[in-house]
Amino acid sequence: MASEEELFASVDALLEEEPQLPPPAERARLREAAGITQARLAVALKTSTQTVKNYENGRSEPKSPRLEAYQRLLKGWAAKYLAHGVPTAPAPAVAPQPAVRATFTGPVTPAPETEAVAPGQAPTVPAAPERPAARPASSRRPAAKKATAPALDPRFPHGPLAVLDGDGSAYGVDGIVLDCPATTVVELVEWTLRESGLGAAKLNRYGKDSDPLIVLTAAAAVKFGLPERLEGHEQRRSLRLPEDHPVVKQVVRAKWQLTQRGFGPWVRIYRKAQGRERQCVQLAVLSWDALDERSWPGVTEMEPADIAQVLGVYAQRVITPRGSTAVSGLELMAALRPSTRAVRDEATGNWVSGHNPGSLGTEPMDPAPPEATAEHPVVVNSGWAGGFLNEEAYQWVRSVDLLTDEECTLPFAVGLDLNTAFLAAAARLVVGLSEPVHFMNPPFNPKVPGSWLADLSHVELDPRLPSPFTPTGERPTGPAWYQTHTVAYAQELGYNVAPIEAYLRQATGAYLDPWHDRLKIAYVDTLADLGVTKDLDDRQFLAAMEQHKQVDPAMAAVLAAIKATVKGGVGKLRERPQGKSYKEGERWPALQRPTWRPDIRAAVISKARVNMHRKLRNMATMTGLYPLAVLSDCVVYPSPGRSPLDFLPYAASGKPQPGGFRLGPTPGLAKLEGVQSMLWAVDLMEQGLNPARHIKGGDAVLDEGE
């Protein structure tokens, strides 16, 4: 018979064991019975929504101290919500389940259908787990949206990418975990192409499938012989391994190639395609700052599974990342409008590669001199001195001398920010697709994209509004080069325009339409995942926007990346030369791209600035209010209250008046950027600083150039 001491020791051992949780299905049932969404539970547990999903499908288990908190919550719910036919006693102890893994030793094949199992016979478990729905959906979104998940491509059963940790675990989308046996970069590339089941289908019927992406954690980088950090990592643009590094030499010896950017934070390793099959893998090294904190806030600090989910959602909604968000934005344009398509050769009857109508073609195109930059060869070699387009976003502050006593007595300055203003401007935007043609004294045609030399200094506007013709908001003093939308707006205001000179493009098209449409859907869907939906009224919208980043940090990071993709993609259309060794007049690498098109960038920005001015003018007409400052897509107004609802124009029915600023979650509509005191705003204006730059954080000491 056991002694009392032995019994107490045995009981103490039980008490010291890790807390046990009910089975995954029961966890989900209890949460749903309590009426709590996965997003709310994630906030309470200080984790991501995807991690909560993993807890409820058995793909991962919480660790201390989150384990004890989760168990306490589940016990409380279990006492309240008894399942039909389930005893009230605690569920039998279940050992924590490891993450589901799929280990591959050969080509990926579809899993066989489940066969009937005889009594007492162990069921057969397929090696590759069935991949769940690829598109996460918030429970606050309409049910209809959940049906829009992309169809699974059987060639890429494990999604577009994986995050590889130092222990060989490759974390994919939707919680899947693969075993990667590779110990060298070359083995990793071959495993990715032959066994991983990673990749993504092309976005256009004439395009190419996306290459699989492997993201390396710091531990994985070290495991493959890479430095954890690169020296001089503060100069991110020039990061790369030297050509004599052992890993680079290993790649070359194995007959693989690197692109011109070498082995840096983003590296493309490839061999020439065999027939239609591409042989290319992209690697991203997290500890080399592959994910810029400004575009991917907080992502590098996440667990590998959560990083995979963030990047996976971005890949499914936008594109598999191929570099910075700016690079991805530019690549998305080309992926949606491929330069070539298959056409039949009339002479031979064979199918050959031909131009894809509506695309930018395969060859780079030099801009007209006024569309170029001062260091561009077309400028340097021709001695051009006729001026340049200055189509940039607003950076304007109203003179304090033009403030009225009534405005100064208002208590608040309220900032409004337009959602992805450049994306809204890209909608149905007609741009040039052919070489620029020079004209002297041409009649103005608002339907022809191009650059016009015109004198708009005679246009009279209220001095309390910025000029629509210059980024500084100052009135033009003489002839200058303008993009078509800017000149057309002068005509819209009722003024005569008589161009002196022009560079126009005969072939035109809405090149950016599919880019706009895809990014708009991505932006709206991601906001909806964060609880900001189209069906909210303006008060509900403001309340949802106030806390949307706390709903799910992972989805908030996706939203930030989408916004950065828009701005960065437009900026890349006129990428400037980089590096101290560059000499004026030399061609730089970006000029070799068909997508180096400063005229398209100018068209987007011109339309965005004109759209902003039109709203400012309509607001003044409807409300008598004039802005204090404008910075790109942010405008600051004096206000009697802390909310945009205190000064935005509404009809008697309660509906927003068309033509002015309207609140909402779609591109071109507005959201609250920040609120400060009117005294704060006037103080900044007197210092020559822009309140629109600082209203979000209220920091009045930042330098204007930051």
Side-chain angles (χ1 to χ4, degrees):
M1 184 175 180
S3 67
E4 180 180 319
E5 192 173 311
E6 290 173 330
L7 289 172
F8 276 18
S10 179
V11 169
D12 288 344
L14 287 176
L15 291 174
E16 290 173 3
E17 285 185 6
E18 286 190 4
Q20 302 299 332
L21 300 174
E26 177 66 2
R27 304 171 200 175
R29 185 196 72 79
L30 290 171
R31 176 186 54 74
E32 291 169 356
I36 302 298
T37 66
Q38 290 176 325
R40 280 192 63 192
L41 178 54
V43 172
L45 294 177
K46 300 191 183 306
T47 187
S48 69
T49 304
Q50 182 58 43
T51 299
V52 171
K53 291 178 181 179
N54 291 344
Y55 295 166
E56 294 185 356
N57 60 29
R59 287 195 168 136
S60 67
E61 296 291 331
K63 296 180 181 178
S64 227
R66 193 172 286 120
L67 172 61
E68 290 78 9
Y70 191 29
Q71 185 198 37
R72 181 177 181 181
L73 179 64
L74 293 174
K75 279 186 175 180
W77 283 341
K80 287 184 179 181
Y81 310 109
L82 301 179
H84 294 294
V86 175
T88 58
V94 178
Q97 301 175 19
V100 175
R101 293 176 177 269
T103 305
F104 297 93
T105 58
V108 177
T109 56
E113 295 183 5
T114 305
E115 298 178 353
V117 179
Q121 178 182 343
T124 301
V125 181
E130 182 181 349
R131 185 166 174 257
R135 189 174 186 171
S138 166
S139 59
R140 294 192 62 174
R141 292 183 50 202
K145 287 286 183 183
K146 294 181 180 179
T148 62
L152 177 63
D153 191 316
R155 296 172 301 155
F156 311 115
H158 300 119
L161 55 88
V163 179
L164 185 60
D165 210 348
D167 63 358
S169 298
Y171 297 85
V173 297
D174 298 325
I176 194 168
V177 185
L178 309 174
D179 281 323
C180 175
T183 58
T184 67
V185 167
V186 169
E187 290 177 359
L188 174 61
V189 170
E190 293 173 348
W191 173 83
T192 303
L193 289 174
R194 296 188 177 94
E195 301 178 30
S196 70
L198 296 172
K202 55 193 176 186
L203 299 180
N204 181 285
R205 59 181 298 192
Y206 301 125
K208 298 174 181 176
D209 295 333
S210 288
D211 302 318
L213 169 64
I214 300 293
V215 180
L216 302 179
T217 64
V222 172
K223 173 183 175 181
F224 291 124
L226 301 171
E228 183 173 344
R229 304 284 299 182
L230 281 181
E231 292 184 10
H233 63 272
E234 68 279 357
Q235 298 176 348
R236 186 172 177 273
R237 290 184 184 275
S238 59
L239 277 178
R240 66 184 63 190
L241 289 178
E243 292 183 2
D244 61 353
H245 190 279
V247 172
V248 176
K249 293 166 71 175
Q250 170 199 114
V251 169
V252 173
R253 277 198 308 269
K255 306 300 183 184
W256 291 96
Q257 294 177 277
L258 302 174
T259 58
Q260 288 185 348
R261 63 181 176 183
F263 204 121
W266 290 87
V267 57
R268 195 168 295 182
I269 303 176
Y270 71 98
R271 284 177 181 155
K272 289 186 178 180
Q274 295 179 348
R276 294 185 178 181
E277 291 190 10
R278 285 166 59 82
Q279 295 188 87
C280 182
V281 173
Q282 296 180 100
L283 303 181
V285 186
L286 289 176
S287 57
W288 295 1
D289 299 326
L291 299 181
D292 192 320
E293 177 66 19
R294 294 168 296 180
S295 302
W296 301 96
V299 175
T300 55
E301 303 303 318
M302 294 179 181
E303 294 296 320
D306 294 327
I307 296 174
Q309 192 62 22
V310 170
L311 297 178
V313 172
Y314 178 89
Q316 290 159 357
R317 297 184 178 182
V318 182
I319 192 172
T320 302
R322 302 184 182 185
S324 67
T325 47
V327 169
S328 296
L330 198 68
E331 293 274 357
L332 180 63
M333 294 179 196
L336 293 168
R337 290 276 199 190
S339 297
T340 61
R341 65 170 183 170
V343 296
R344 189 180 292 277
D345 187 324
E346 294 182 0
T348 64
N350 296 329
W351 289 97
V352 296
S353 179
H355 175 68
N356 185 23
S359 75
L360 298 181
T362 58
E363 297 299 321
M365 183 184 300
D366 276 343
E371 298 167 348
T373 57
E375 66 271 19
H376 195 285
V378 301
V379 174
V380 175
N381 297 339
S382 66
W384 173 263
F388 300 96
L389 279 176
N390 190 22
E391 299 289 10
E392 301 294 341
Y394 270 132
Q395 293 192 52
W396 171 82
V397 181
R398 200 203 314 177
S399 169
V400 291
D401 297 335
L402 296 176
L403 292 176
T404 65
D405 292 341
E406 183 181 358
E407 286 176 322
C408 290
T409 58
L410 291 173
F412 298 105
V414 176
L416 292 176
D417 180 73
L418 295 182
N419 301 323
T420 56
F422 289 164
L423 185 62
R428 315 300 170 250
L429 176 67
V430 176
V431 300
L433 301 177
S434 56
E435 299 273 358
V437 179
H438 185 226
F439 295 89
M440 294 299 296
N441 301 309
F444 178 67
N445 187 339
K447 295 184 178 180
V448 178
S451 303
W452 309 77
L453 181 62
D455 189 349
L456 303 181
S457 60
H458 62 291
V459 178
E460 292 281 352
L461 293 171
D462 193 306
R464 291 172 292 180
L465 291 176
S467 167
F469 310 127
T470 64
T472 62
E474 297 177 358
R475 183 172 175 171
T477 57
W481 287 96
Y482 301 102
Q483 201 276 337
T484 298
H485 281 89
T486 304
V487 184
Y489 188 57
Q491 198 174 62
E492 179 184 319
L493 293 172
Y495 289 87
N496 181 50
V497 293
I500 304 165
E501 191 177 353
Y503 285 89
L504 308 178
R505 287 172 166 81
Q506 307 290 321
T508 64
Y511 172 72
L512 293 175
D513 264 9
W515 185 80
H516 162 271
D517 294 349
R518 185 169 177 84
L519 284 169
K520 177 182 177 180
I521 293 171
Y523 180 81
V524 171
D525 283 358
T526 306
L527 262 182
D529 284 338
L530 293 167
V532 186
T533 55
K534 293 180 180 179
D535 58 342
L536 302 177
D537 63 31
D538 284 359
R539 290 186 184 278
Q540 293 171 327
F541 168 75
L542 290 172
M545 285 299 297
E546 190 173 350
Q547 54 85 46
H548 76 284
K549 291 183 180 179
Q550 285 72 48
V551 170
D552 186 341
M555 293 306 296
V558 174
L559 184 69
I562 292 170
K563 293 191 288 186
T565 301
V566 173
K567 285 192 175 181
V570 172
K572 274 280 185 181
L573 290 167
R574 195 190 70 171
E575 183 178 349
R576 305 293 287 267
Q578 301 164 11
K580 296 179 180 179
S581 61
Y582 175 75
K583 295 180 181 179
E584 192 174 79
E586 293 179 346
R587 299 191 73 85
W588 58 96
L591 300 187
Q592 305 310 311
R593 300 190 311 247
T595 49
W596 196 87
R597 290 293 302 273
D599 57 301
I600 297 180
R601 174 186 179 274
V604 172
I605 297 176
S606 168
K607 186 179 175 183
R609 198 181 64 245
V610 165
N611 286 348
M612 172 66 84
H613 191 275
R614 191 180 288 113
K615 292 180 189 296
L616 297 174
R617 191 163 51 88
N618 290 340
M619 281 286 291
T621 301
M622 291 186 286
T623 68
L625 287 176
Y626 292 84
L628 301 176
V630 185
L631 181 72
S632 187
D633 48 10
C634 177
V635 56
V636 177
Y637 275 102
S639 172
R642 298 182 61 89
S643 170
L645 301 176
D646 296 318
F647 65 89
L648 289 178
Y650 289 86
S653 63
K655 293 185 177 181
Q657 291 278 28
F661 294 101
R662 296 175 55 189
L663 300 175
T666 55
L669 298 186
K671 60 181 179 292
L672 176 64
E673 178 72 0
V675 183
Q676 300 294 334
S677 71
M678 185 65 180
L679 184 62
W680 171 90
V682 173
D683 183 51
L684 279 185
M685 294 166 71
E686 288 176 339
Q687 297 178 55
L689 302 177
N690 192 324
R693 184 182 296 278
H694 308 301
I695 196 162
K696 189 171 186 177
D699 190 340
V701 299
L702 289 176
D703 180 75
E704 185 69 355
E706 290 186 20

